[in-house]
Amino acid sequence: MRVYVPLTLPGLAEAHRTGQLGDGPLTAYAVTPALREWYLSDDIEELEYAALSRAALASLRLLAADPGAPRRRVVVAVDVADGTASADPDRGLDPAAPGEVRLAGAVRLAKAAAVHADAADAETDVAAAARALDAADKGDDDAQFVVDGAEDHELLWFATQEIPQLIG
């Protein structure tokens, strides 16, 4: 099963240093029944892109909580054994949670298939989105427009061998 783990560049640097993504439990995003229902598609590539997009939004939330982190969203795509990731049935109806799963323990970075990250030219829009996120969550349409501006930037694909250049 492919899961998408939201991080920041400092989080990716820590994962590179330790060889694992956090200590667990970890929040990640995957193609879940709730995501399928929310996205209304049977195309697996579209669903995986939707899960990646949900993880990118979660990365933006991590950036909003860490003003010192570079303003670039980071998502690590990891292949885990089926059954390793579990969705919380109580969060299935939460509009903020489609695709959200929990990984009980740490995940080895060696299991990563790829890293997705913003290009440097997205930093201004991502910084503005991180500042506007709280207001957008409270229903401010202008703030939501700013958050959507960050989502207009496609995350770039990086091979795991490129992590040192990303964090350097």
Side-chain angles (χ1 to χ4, degrees):
M1 167 181 230
R2 169 101 8 125
V3 299
Y4 298 91
V5 179
L7 291 176
T8 61
L9 283 173
L12 182 62
E14 180 67 10
H16 185 258
R17 186 182 69 72
T18 64
Q20 66 182 29
L21 299 168
D23 295 325
L26 295 173
T27 299
Y29 294 81
V31 177
T32 63
L35 183 79
R36 286 179 187 274
E37 187 174 321
W38 174 72
Y39 198 73
L40 299 174
S41 175
D42 288 329
D43 184 320
I44 191 64
E45 287 183 16
E46 287 181 16
L47 291 166
E48 293 218 350
Y49 183 78
L52 171 64
S53 297
R54 301 299 297 169
L57 179 58
S59 176
L60 183 64
R61 291 186 185 290
L62 294 173
L63 290 172
D66 183 0
R71 309 282 90 180
R72 293 171 70 188
R73 298 166 298 162
V74 176
V75 175
V76 179
V78 182
D79 293 319
V80 298
D82 288 345
T84 303
S86 60
D88 181 348
D90 293 333
R91 294 213 8 108
L93 299 176
D94 184 341
E100 185 179 281
V101 295
R102 290 268 188 242
L103 301 168
V107 175
R108 291 182 39 239
L109 187 58
K111 298 231 180 225
V115 176
H116 303 271
D118 279 311
D121 67 356
E123 288 186 19
T124 300
D125 289 338
V126 171
R131 288 189 304 271
L133 193 57
D134 187 51
D137 286 345
K138 293 176 181 168
D140 182 319
D141 290 337
D142 292 333
Q144 186 60 53
F145 182 78
V146 173
V147 171
D148 292 344
E151 293 175 4
D152 288 342
H153 292 275
E154 293 289 328
L155 296 180
L156 303 178
W157 182 94
F158 295 91
T160 56
Q161 301 90 311
E162 296 177 277
I163 291 173
Q165 289 79 29
L166 270 172
I167 61 176

